[in-house]
Amino acid sequence: MILPRYRSGGSYGIYALAFPAFLRHLVAMIDELYSREILRRTTQLQNVGHLANPQATADRVAKLCGSTIHVELNMDGEVITDFAQQVQACALGQASAAIVSQHIIGATGDEVLEARDALRNLLKGEAVDFPERFADLAILSSVKDYPARHASTLLALEATSAAISSLK
């Protein structure tokens, strides 16, 4: 990255020529990665808190950015009947957790695992079909070009899948 460097006499020299191009690239990346829809989803997080007596819990951390999630759930057979989460994540982790939280009650364990696998494949650039209830996860397709953001985007489904697996 080339940053402007002040020279005596008030001139920034050739460095100033590269800086606006860098800023344009940065702004374009932010606009692509954090779309209006993704940012809107960050405000829609549901089922925040704790369950009184969870059957299963799981924690996940995205080491690169420090995003964390703690999930708790109850199941009746294969169906998730109650869900709570605590999310401390970037916008991508929050958006993903919000989508999961809006559709998790009534989902089967298999639907959650299928959604997790579909999101993993989407981030690899593959064509995917999400389970119908989790189809909104497709808005995260722009993340595929930013591998450093994949872990935070997957947090909610990784943690929920781990909690489900602990019951088997």
Side-chain angles (χ1 to χ4, degrees):
M1 169 171 66
I2 299 175
L3 296 176
R5 184 172 67 183
Y6 184 78
R7 292 189 199 170
S8 62
S11 169
Y12 285 95
I14 195 161
Y15 297 103
L17 297 175
F19 194 66
F22 169 74
L23 282 179
R24 282 192 303 276
H25 171 73
L26 183 62
V27 168
M29 179 199 71
I30 290 170
D31 284 347
E32 179 182 323
L33 184 58
Y34 299 104
S35 69
R36 183 177 308 275
E37 180 62 16
I38 288 173
L39 293 176
R40 186 176 71 79
R41 294 298 180 125
T42 65
T43 66
Q44 299 175 345
L45 199 60
Q46 297 177 9
N47 304 326
V48 176
H50 291 284
L51 299 180
N53 295 302
Q55 293 173 328
T57 66
D59 297 286
R60 288 293 181 268
V61 176
K63 293 179 184 173
L64 187 63
C65 67
S67 292
T68 64
I69 188 167
H70 171 80
V71 300
E72 302 175 355
L73 59 82
N74 291 326
M75 295 182 76
D76 183 7
E78 278 295 310
V79 177
I80 296 169
T81 57
D82 210 357
F83 179 84
Q85 61 183 349
Q86 292 186 304
V87 180
Q88 302 255 325
C90 64
L92 297 170
Q94 289 178 36
S96 178
I99 293 167
V100 170
S101 72
Q102 292 166 358
H103 304 288
I104 194 76
I105 304 296
T108 65
D110 288 343
E111 285 177 308
V112 173
L113 298 176
E114 186 179 336
R116 179 205 56 197
D117 293 344
L119 184 56
R120 284 179 179 168
N121 290 333
L122 179 76
L123 295 176
K124 293 177 188 174
E126 299 174 13
V128 299
D129 288 320
F130 286 99
E132 187 175 334
R133 74 172 51 241
F134 294 111
D136 291 353
L137 290 167
I139 70 164
L140 299 166
S141 64
S142 63
V143 182
K144 72 180 178 300
D145 296 326
Y146 303 93
R149 303 288 188 231
H150 291 188
S152 61
T153 305
L154 285 162
L155 276 179
L157 285 169
E158 294 285 359
T160 305
S161 296
I164 291 167
S165 295
S166 73
L167 292 174
K168 294 183 178 185

